[in-house]
Amino acid sequence: MAKESPKKATATSAAWVDEYAGGNPQVRDFYSTDCFDWRPAVARRKPGEWNPFTAEEITEWRESLLPHTENTALLDQLEVLRDPNAIVSITGQQAGAALGPLYTIYKAFAARHWARKIQSETGRPAVALFWVASDDHDLPEVQQAHWLAAGGELCGASLAESDTTSGAPVSKRPVAPGLARAFIAKLAETTNDTEFRAGVMEALEKTLLAEGATFESQFISLACRWLLPLGVVPVVPRLRFLRRRAADVILKEIESAPTANESIRDHGERIGTLGWKPPLHREGNELNAFLEWEGVRGKLSLHGGRVTVSHPAGPNNILAEMKSEELRALLEKEPERFSPNAILRPLVQDSIFPSAIYTAGPTE
């Protein structure tokens, strides 16, 4: 039986999901549809109502993955997205070290499950996509790898020198070769030998010790090795054709600000009245997008008719200032320098892909 009211602020985001699944009307009131019923979502994505990818766009995507896989036939899955009847099941995660936590794999498997279910039950071509959030600049969130040792204890290792001041996206952050070798050696020392370990160790050595390896490249390489054969296609959001397709959503965010933040604050206040801690906080003048400025993923904020670009480490570290119309002109001229934040990203995904299913974590 559903509870009368949610658990209080000490509850985790996972408990919020439990309340939703249990039918709590106060929690379910935050959602316009049943999150566990995929059929209405697929029905809303009517055949022919999206802009399929062109041959040139598929070629750019394919070429971004070719350096990471020897089985080029697996990339034929991309051709599904030239079909106006196509449906997408999408998930994503930051470009974590050595493919990140097991949670990443669970999300990928869920995306594949829903894509197969949709295709088998509707007959519409469906593909599972994994959005590699390598735009993210938070290196501490991705630089650590953890695993269970043979004795059951938790082991960990870092693949990068700690640096919270750079502000560069992790797509440009290098894997430290010395730390990568130490990680591989420690992993070999602390785990039992199985029929899979040799292949895993070989893949990690090839990927993490590759010349010029970054956190993005190591994630894509391992995803192509372990997820792509299962039918989960990685996508890197910084591809130029994706940036161009995302530009309209970012332009609307610039033109309509601070509408989104007002909605976020209103929902946060509603969550607070139920005794929960709101997951997001917005001051009101922030734009839900970033601009890469001299190698830094700069935060954008509005101050009257002007826009401030600040370092992600702190709003007082101003990188640049410009008029709102100058920002819009820059977006039109160089869309590859713009990226959505966590709030805007799902809207960007839905505008680019015919996505009907989004597999997300509890906080998402």
Side-chain angles (χ1 to χ4, degrees):
M1 179 179 295
K3 298 177 177 63
E4 290 296 321
S5 62
K7 298 175 183 178
K8 296 301 178 181
T10 54
T12 65
S13 54
W16 176 275
V17 176
D18 290 340
E19 293 282 349
Y20 176 90
N24 189 305
Q26 291 177 301
V27 173
R28 281 189 171 246
D29 187 49
F30 281 85
Y31 303 92
S32 59
T33 59
D34 186 342
C35 298
F36 297 111
D37 187 356
W38 58 270
R39 291 173 181 81
V42 172
R44 283 196 298 271
R45 283 291 192 176
K46 298 186 185 302
E49 289 190 352
W50 77 291
N51 186 18
F53 293 126
T54 65
E56 291 77 13
E57 289 174 326
I58 293 296
T59 296
E60 183 184 353
W61 192 346
R62 178 186 288 268
E63 288 180 350
S64 74
L65 299 178
L66 279 175
H68 304 287
T69 180
E70 297 177 356
N71 192 343
T72 57
L74 293 172
L75 301 180
D76 291 343
Q77 299 171 76
L78 295 175
E79 296 299 323
V80 169
L81 294 173
R82 297 185 62 188
D83 189 331
N85 297 324
I87 281 287
V88 160
S89 169
I90 192 167
T91 190
Q93 190 70 14
Q94 292 104 319
L99 212 58
L102 196 57
Y103 171 60
T104 300
I105 307 299
Y106 292 156
K107 293 174 83 172
F109 284 175
R112 181 191 69 162
H113 165 80
W114 291 115
R116 290 183 174 183
K117 189 173 185 65
I118 290 168
Q119 184 158 317
S120 66
E121 295 196 20
T122 70
R124 294 177 64 178
V127 63
L129 299 181
F130 195 102
W131 181 282
V132 182
S134 53
D135 285 331
D136 200 321
H137 54 272
D138 195 341
L139 184 65
E141 282 194 356
V142 301
Q143 70 184 51
Q144 293 280 339
H146 295 92
W147 66 96
L148 285 178
E153 65 274 18
L154 183 66
C155 292
S158 176
L159 273 67
E161 302 292 346
S162 295
D163 178 7
T164 59
T165 61
S166 167
V170 298
S171 61
K172 297 182 177 180
R173 305 303 295 272
V175 173
L179 294 178
R181 291 189 184 92
F183 158 63
I184 292 169
K186 186 175 180 181
L187 184 65
E189 292 172 3
T190 57
T191 55
N192 290 323
D193 190 15
T194 70
E195 66 270 36
F196 306 109
R197 191 172 72 162
V200 170
M201 300 304 296
E202 179 186 359
L204 291 174
E205 289 179 9
K206 181 178 180 180
T207 299
L208 299 177
L209 300 179
E211 184 177 357
T214 64
F215 276 82
E216 178 187 89
S217 71
Q218 59 89 29
F219 191 98
I220 293 290
S221 292
L222 293 174
C224 283
R225 185 180 184 102
W226 291 326
L227 300 181
L228 186 60
L230 300 176
V232 182
V233 184
V235 54
V236 181
R238 63 182 179 81
L239 295 178
R240 181 164 176 77
F241 81 91
L242 292 175
R243 294 295 203 217
R244 288 197 299 267
R245 283 183 173 243
D248 284 346
V249 178
I250 293 178
L251 178 60
K252 289 178 182 177
E253 166 66 12
I254 294 171
E255 294 179 339
S256 65
T259 304
N261 290 336
E262 291 173 354
S263 177
I264 291 165
R265 286 201 306 273
D266 289 345
H267 279 77
E269 289 175 3
R270 288 177 59 201
I271 291 171
T273 62
L274 297 178
W276 296 72
K277 182 179 179 180
L280 295 171
H281 300 276
R282 309 300 283 168
E283 295 299 326
N285 65 336
E286 310 98 326
L287 289 174
N288 292 297
F290 291 87
L291 169 63
E292 191 166 330
W293 193 271
E294 297 181 351
V296 174
R297 192 181 186 222
K299 290 186 175 182
L300 297 171
S301 58
L302 291 175
H303 304 274
R306 299 192 64 80
V307 177
T308 296
V309 186
S310 59
H311 196 287
N316 295 325
N317 188 345
I318 306 299
L319 303 175
E321 291 184 313
M322 66 188 77
K323 296 178 180 178
S324 296
E325 54 266 31
E326 292 176 316
L327 183 68
R328 291 194 291 270
L330 187 59
L331 173 62
E332 182 177 357
K333 182 181 179 181
E334 300 181 68
E336 65 275 8
R337 292 175 60 185
F338 289 78
S339 60
N341 71 353
I343 294 168
L344 199 64
R345 188 190 69 243
L347 301 182
V348 167
Q349 291 173 345
D350 282 353
S351 73
I352 295 174
F353 303 108
S355 52
I357 302 293
Y358 176 42
T359 300
T363 304
E364 296 174 86

